[in-house]
Amino acid sequence: MKSLLLLTVLAALVVATLCYESHESMESYEIYPFTNRRNANTFLYPQQRWRAKAQERIRERSKPVYEINREACDDYKLCERYAMVYGYNAAYDRYFRQRRGAK
């Protein structure tokens, strides 16, 4: 019985020792792990940067209509709140589309 108690205490100590997580393991040894905007793309080659900019321009130009409507609705708080309840299509229709007969 004593050996069982001793074994249980020893097992509890081993578990507590192995599961202890100190804050030192969470800390980064770098002074400041984030980089500023100016140095953010320094790891890309100039040709890759040019290609990425060109692809972004193409994506901006060929956005679907629903994405443009959603961005317009996101900029207007009342429309955004309405969209959380009824959806973006209904919110855009309510706040931005001209109603029939109205000019």
Side-chain angles (χ1 to χ4, degrees):
M1 192 67 177
K2 284 184 177 182
S3 62
L4 183 62
L5 182 64
L6 182 63
L7 186 62
T8 305
V9 170
L10 185 62
L13 287 174
V14 168
V15 168
T17 304
L18 293 177
C19 292
Y20 175 72
E21 188 170 339
S22 68
H23 292 289
E24 292 174 358
S25 64
M26 299 280 209
E27 292 176 358
S28 175
Y29 293 108
E30 298 175 3
I31 295 172
Y32 187 68
F34 302 105
T35 182
N36 62 13
R37 288 183 178 183
R38 184 171 291 180
N39 296 331
N41 290 329
T42 55
F43 60 91
L44 288 176
Y45 298 112
Q47 186 178 9
Q48 289 175 329
R49 266 186 252 144
W50 178 84
R51 187 177 297 145
K53 286 180 184 177
Q55 287 174 350
E56 182 64 27
R57 286 189 195 123
I58 290 169
R59 272 188 243 116
E60 287 289 327
R61 204 177 306 145
S62 62
K63 274 188 184 176
V65 176
Y66 67 87
E67 184 67 27
I68 295 169
N69 294 348
R70 184 175 181 154
E71 287 177 359
C73 195
D74 280 341
D75 292 338
Y76 187 54
K77 284 291 183 192
L78 291 175
C79 183
E80 189 176 8
R81 287 181 190 160
Y82 192 86
M84 291 299 160
V85 177
Y86 298 105
Y88 280 98
N89 288 336
Y92 184 83
D93 288 343
R94 178 176 175 151
Y95 288 101
F96 294 108
R97 288 204 200 264
Q98 288 187 350
R99 300 185 183 192
R100 292 185 186 180
K103 291 190 177 180

